[in-house]
Amino acid sequence: MKSSYRSFLQVEPQLVDGHISYFLGAVGMPGLTALLGVREKGHVTDGANQTMVVSGAAGACGSVAGQIGRVDGCTRVVGICGSDEKCRVLVEDLGFSAAVNYRQGDVATALKESCPNGVDVYFDNVGGPISDAVIAQMNNDGHVILCGQISQYNKDVPYPPPLCDETREALKSKNITRERFTVLNYMEKHEAGIIQLSQWVREGQIKVLETVVNGIENMGVAFCSMMKGGNIGKQIIKISD
């Protein structure tokens, strides 16, 4: 693997046993975002009996972030997603401890059941009321990895979006860190990160989820489906063999 310009990294197909689409997802930018987010902002400590919650957990980044939390030593990893099928995949295929369908029932109640010891690390991909519910149940000295706020992107608000009074007070009173995270600020760690992710994938410690649509003529349909949550893992358009 060779690097040249600051924004360019040449990768080798053998790193992913020829599955080159993985470089768009689990062994690419989404995977690096998950890895460096957990490692740089999550403060996961093996043996510390920590619980991690991931929102947007069935997406390209969230699905990898939760698996990294498990690999790095979290006792429980709970995913929040938008369908029962996604919940099933997270638990049965990816090894999450539990999953919450935010479209079914009360998220706060489901979180209490899934996180009996509270939440120590929160990988936040969505923002909004879901994140308010998670932060309300976080333990003292917890850490929020502010990766994305997709529920807020169509609103005319600054980034990060403003928080409600209750959430701001919870962060302050519990000494919870909440720092925005941009993977491009860690370019010097990308090459080692790609090698680590590819090793985990080859060893089966991290499993890759993809939703593949054939034909570039179907790109628009696939994109709209992704924006409505129709994908599980990375949305891929396959244009040729």
Side-chain angles (χ1 to χ4, degrees):
M1 185 163 58
K2 300 177 181 179
S3 59
S4 53
Y5 298 108
R6 187 174 187 270
S7 61
F8 178 80
L9 185 67
Q10 179 179 334
V11 292
E12 303 296 339
Q14 61 263 30
L15 286 174
V16 290
D17 293 332
H19 299 287
I20 58 174
S21 63
Y22 289 4
F23 289 128
L24 300 176
V27 191
M29 192 64 73
L32 284 170
T33 302
L35 174 64
L36 295 173
V38 172
R39 291 278 174 88
E40 298 294 327
K41 301 295 185 181
H43 303 277
V44 173
T45 303
D46 193 13
N49 196 33
Q50 292 170 300
T51 295
M52 173 187 282
V53 170
V54 182
S55 57
C61 180
S63 61
V64 177
Q67 293 182 83
I68 292 172
R70 171 177 49 77
V71 170
D72 277 0
C74 286
T75 304
R76 289 185 65 77
V77 177
V78 177
I80 303 175
C81 55
S83 74
D84 290 340
E85 174 61 13
K86 290 180 178 180
C87 288
R88 184 197 66 78
V89 169
L90 293 181
V91 175
E92 295 183 8
D93 297 345
L94 303 190
F96 281 56
S97 307
V100 173
N101 180 354
Y102 70 86
R103 300 182 191 272
Q104 299 289 334
D106 181 64
V107 172
T109 299
L111 279 173
K112 288 180 180 178
E113 295 173 354
S114 299
C115 308
N117 297 319
V119 179
D120 302 292
V121 183
Y122 174 38
F123 198 101
D124 185 5
N125 285 306
V126 302
I130 289 175
S131 292
D132 292 338
V134 177
I135 292 171
Q137 299 186 35
M138 291 189 71
N139 296 323
N140 291 340
D141 302 316
H143 302 282
V144 178
I145 305 164
L146 186 54
C147 179
Q149 303 279 279
I150 195 169
S151 72
Q152 308 296 299
Y153 288 163
N154 287 334
K155 299 180 180 180
D156 186 17
V157 295
Y159 189 89
L163 300 171
C164 66
D165 291 343
E166 293 82 358
T167 299
R168 286 202 304 269
E169 178 58 30
L171 293 172
K172 181 179 178 181
S173 63
K174 296 181 181 179
N175 193 38
I176 298 169
T177 65
R178 178 179 180 264
E179 300 175 320
R180 61 189 301 176
F181 169 76
T182 303
V183 69
L184 294 179
N185 290 339
Y186 299 89
M187 293 292 292
E188 74 281 0
K189 298 186 177 184
H190 283 197
E191 184 170 349
I194 291 291
I195 292 172
Q196 176 65 86
L197 289 163
S198 66
Q199 179 180 336
W200 279 335
V201 169
R202 292 196 307 273
E203 293 173 349
Q205 293 192 69
I206 286 181
K207 297 181 179 178
V208 180
L209 298 179
E210 294 181 326
T211 298
V212 180
V213 173
N214 290 310
I216 195 170
E217 68 275 12
N218 295 313
M219 181 181 295
V221 173
F223 180 81
C224 290
S225 175
M226 177 189 69
M227 295 304 293
K228 295 177 181 178
N231 61 301
I232 299 180
K234 181 67 176 180
Q235 178 71 65
I236 297 290
I237 306 296
K238 185 176 181 180
I239 60 176
S240 70
D241 293 324

